Amino acid sequence: MTEGNQTVISQFLLLGLPIPQEHQHLFYALFLAMYLTTVLGNLIIIILILLDSHLHTPMYLFLSNLSFSDLCFSSVTMPKLLQIMQSQDLSIPYAGCLTQIYFFLYFGDLGNFLLVAMAYDRYVAICFPLHYTSIMSPKLCVSLVVLSWVLTTFHAMLHTLLMARLSFCEDNVIPHYFCDMSALLKLACSDTHVNEVVIFIVVSIFLVLPFALIIMSYVRIVSSILKVPSSQGIYKAFSTCGSHLSVVSLFYGTVIGLYLCPSANNSTVKDTVMSLMYTVVTPMLNPFIYSLRNRDIKGALERIFCKKKNQLSL
């Protein structure tokens, strides 16, 4: 479509993953299995926390929201990727692209804030165990969750509106499997200076600051643990925080590697692989990380299965 002398783009073309045609079916099956595992794993965590009263604690309130966030975050990009690989339909409408950007930022940021809340919960549990119940009150926990949802709404809307004001000319090919903001900014034929400044400022606040808060909380946790003479106490504390630290490392490691430490040769393949790590792999691994070494989750599974078994036997 043309307005005056300027071409207005009604759709973009997503190139997908750089996979040879003969291997498309193999990778389609792999990514479909990974996506179904993500959905099933996170749904199980959410349902377990809802059904088992033993898991109605601050930590599992945050975890249930994180599982929901991971499920939705993966669902923002994976269905379109699978469609591209199966039907070779590369097109995505302009409005669909902006919608994908909004929900990608929304659920990505939501997971980011929830990780901070979980780090604070572990900090209070280990450094102030006697005051844990009074500090992590239901009111505070719900407030932290609501604040996370509200802040991400404004952040995602800000970037989406800034992207909507840009003009795009004839080049509508995005060398990615989703509408990545950095890739879209390169295609814009209008001034992107405001977008770039806002991204820099917001990344500093919404990514670096939460990461710094998590690091600070764990520095305090480690210093508190080292003061405990009991080896059993040290093991218990580290086992409690181990799963959360693993998730934090996976999430921030890939995001920081992609956005704050870009490759010198601006490798599209490297960016795509790094994006796959935090959009596909991390949401899939989180349920396993939180369940494999978590006695509470295992106990909840056993209780629910035993309850169902007893009901069937009656």
Side-chain angles (χ1 to χ4, degrees):
M1 187 169 65
T2 304
E3 289 184 2
N5 295 326
Q6 191 175 22
T7 302
V8 178
I9 286 178
S10 61
Q11 66 176 18
F12 294 97
L13 298 178
L14 297 171
L15 292 186
L17 299 175
I19 299 172
Q21 188 63 38
E22 61 270 20
H23 297 148
Q24 286 281 346
H25 293 296
L26 175 64
F27 278 92
Y28 174 81
L30 173 64
F31 285 119
L32 178 60
M34 292 174 73
Y35 178 57
L36 292 176
T37 302
T38 301
V39 173
L40 184 62
N42 283 292
L43 275 178
I44 289 173
I45 295 286
I46 294 168
I47 292 169
L48 280 177
I49 293 171
L50 286 174
L51 294 180
D52 195 292
S53 59
H54 295 84
L55 300 181
H56 294 173
T57 63
M59 184 64 178
Y60 292 104
L61 170 66
F62 301 138
L63 179 56
S64 62
N65 278 268
L66 181 65
S67 293
F68 179 76
S69 172
D70 283 339
L71 192 159
C72 295
F73 186 55
S74 186
S75 297
V76 171
T77 57
M78 284 300 289
K80 184 59 184 178
L81 171 61
L82 292 170
Q83 182 193 5
I84 292 172
M85 297 179 76
Q86 184 185 44
S87 65
Q88 297 300 309
D89 179 14
L90 309 181
S91 65
I92 181 170
Y94 174 80
C97 197
L98 289 181
T99 302
Q100 191 180 58
I101 287 174
Y102 175 81
F103 285 108
F104 180 84
L105 291 170
Y106 187 90
F107 291 112
D109 284 336
L110 181 59
N112 182 28
F113 284 117
L114 289 169
L115 288 174
V116 177
M118 293 169 79
Y120 179 69
D121 175 79
R122 293 301 85 202
Y123 164 69
V124 175
I126 292 171
C127 297
F128 305 99
L130 299 178
H131 303 285
Y132 177 77
T133 307
S134 59
I135 295 174
M136 298 303 295
S137 63
K139 183 179 179 181
L140 175 64
C141 295
V142 172
S143 298
L144 288 174
V145 171
V146 171
L147 182 63
S148 299
W149 284 83
V150 171
L151 284 175
T152 53
T153 301
F154 288 118
H155 178 226
M157 184 61 70
L158 172 65
H159 284 295
T160 306
L161 292 175
L162 285 174
M163 290 301 300
R165 60 180 276 278
L166 297 179
S167 300
F168 297 91
C169 301
E170 295 181 2
D171 188 4
N172 68 336
V173 179
I174 301 174
H176 221 305
Y177 62 92
F178 67 94
C179 291
D180 181 56
M181 275 203 308
S182 59
L184 276 173
L185 287 176
K186 293 174 184 176
L187 297 181
C189 53
S190 55
D191 185 22
T192 61
H193 179 69
V194 174
N195 296 67
E196 291 165 358
V197 170
V198 171
I199 288 173
F200 177 80
I201 294 171
V202 170
V203 163
S204 301
I205 298 171
F206 281 70
L207 184 65
V208 177
L209 182 59
F211 184 59
L213 289 173
I214 292 174
I215 294 299
M216 285 170 59
S217 68
Y218 275 99
V219 168
R220 295 291 299 272
I221 287 171
V222 170
S223 64
S224 178
I225 288 172
L226 294 177
K227 295 175 183 177
V228 181
S230 168
S231 59
Q232 185 178 359
I234 293 174
Y235 172 77
K236 184 179 180 181
F238 273 116
S239 63
T240 303
C241 301
S243 56
H244 182 248
L245 272 176
S246 301
V247 173
V248 167
S249 301
L250 274 172
F251 180 81
Y252 285 102
T254 52
V255 172
I256 289 173
L258 181 61
Y259 291 106
L260 299 185
C261 305
S263 55
N265 57 355
N266 200 23
S267 172
T268 303
V269 175
K270 176 256 186 185
D271 289 350
T272 304
V273 172
M274 292 290 284
S275 297
L276 280 172
M277 281 298 296
Y278 75 89
T279 60
V280 181
V281 179
T282 303
M284 181 189 70
L285 290 180
N286 284 357
F288 294 100
I289 291 171
Y290 279 110
S291 61
L292 290 178
R293 294 186 61 187
N294 191 313
R295 292 179 183 177
D296 294 335
I297 296 291
K298 290 179 181 178
L301 271 172
E302 290 172 4
R303 283 189 292 272
I304 289 173
F305 279 122
C306 288
K307 186 177 179 181
K308 293 294 181 183
K309 188 178 178 181
N310 292 334
Q311 289 175 346
L312 291 172
S313 62
L314 292 175

